[in-house]
Amino acid sequence: DPPDKDPLIGSVVDRRYKVLKRLGVGGMGIVYKVEHSYLNKFFALKVMRTTKDETDRKRFEQEARLASQIRHPNVVEISDFGVLPTSQPYFVMEFLRGHTIGDAIYTGFIDSQLICHIGVQISRGLQAVHKQNVVHCDIKTENILISEEDLEGKRTRRIAKLLDFGLARSLTASRA
């Protein structure tokens, strides 16, 4: 559906996440900006696209499970999981303001100093992922977001975040 015909926009998911707008569409899911009704805080909600394929469903659930194990400032944080009345699984993650490295390269926004800064952060994030015996398997410019956080209202700090664990694999599970 086009964004203006999306039935989720304006609805409330699990009596607490008000769906405000669509942020993006990927191969596995649609990402929305939502507001938690009790916390008055924004989150991102990723809903699996409608499919009858059980393999896709398991992969989506694995993405939520593996990514939620990792707590690191350079890895997107997953905080909740559920299933919509339409039987579509969803998960909730931190809402990030910013743009992907791919967008930054395309617009010419990125310079060599920022590339080095991002490289160090992504390396730290990957180290945290690997410590949990997880391999991301899909590192690309679209899966690295440069989040912008305001510091004292005057400056902005750029933090690189690893996104999209849809192809991630657990090394522990493969040994079992």
Side-chain angles (χ1 to χ4, degrees):
D1 289 335
D4 59 340
K5 303 252 190 237
D6 191 315
L8 271 183
I9 295 174
S11 70
V12 177
V13 172
D14 276 347
R15 299 187 339 243
R16 63 187 175 277
Y17 300 109
K18 180 169 175 133
V19 182
L20 304 175
K21 70 177 185 175
R22 186 189 292 183
L23 297 174
V25 178
M28 286 290 291
I30 303 170
V31 179
Y32 299 90
K33 180 178 182 180
V34 298
E35 183 175 16
H36 194 288
S37 59
Y38 300 112
L39 302 177
N40 295 323
K41 183 177 175 181
F42 296 115
F43 291 90
L45 177 91
K46 184 172 183 179
V47 177
M48 183 176 171
R49 297 174 98 175
T50 306
T51 181
K52 305 254 189 264
D53 190 329
E54 192 60 28
T55 303
D56 287 346
R57 184 181 192 86
K58 286 181 180 178
R59 194 172 112 197
F60 187 87
E61 291 172 359
Q62 177 175 290
E63 175 181 2
R65 191 174 303 110
L66 291 178
S68 71
Q69 295 173 9
I70 302 153
R71 296 276 187 240
H72 191 274
N74 299 116
V75 178
V76 67
E77 184 177 337
I78 307 295
S79 58
D80 200 358
F81 183 88
V83 179
L84 297 176
T86 59
S87 299
Q88 295 166 271
Y90 72 85
F91 60 84
V92 178
M93 56 192 151
E94 64 183 309
F95 176 72
L96 301 168
R97 285 185 323 120
H99 51 274
T100 67
I101 290 181
D103 292 337
I105 292 168
Y106 180 75
T107 61
F109 171 71
I110 200 158
D111 63 30
S112 58
Q113 188 175 13
L114 182 56
I115 289 171
C116 291
H117 182 66
I118 290 167
V120 168
Q121 291 182 55
I122 293 307
S123 296
R124 289 179 181 151
L126 283 171
Q127 183 179 23
V129 170
H130 295 162
K131 279 186 178 179
Q132 293 295 321
N133 290 312
V134 173
V135 180
H136 188 282
C137 297
D138 197 21
I139 299 296
K140 60 185 180 183
T141 58
E142 293 81 14
N143 289 342
I144 300 170
L145 188 115
I146 304 168
S147 175
E148 298 179 1
E149 295 183 1
D150 290 330
L151 299 174
E152 303 160 9
K154 299 174 188 173
R155 302 177 310 174
T156 301
R157 177 173 62 171
R158 293 187 180 112
I159 300 174
K161 297 266 189 175
L162 286 172
L163 309 174
D164 199 342
F165 282 72
L167 298 179
R169 298 288 175 253
S170 170
L171 296 177
T172 307
S174 65
R175 291 182 190 148

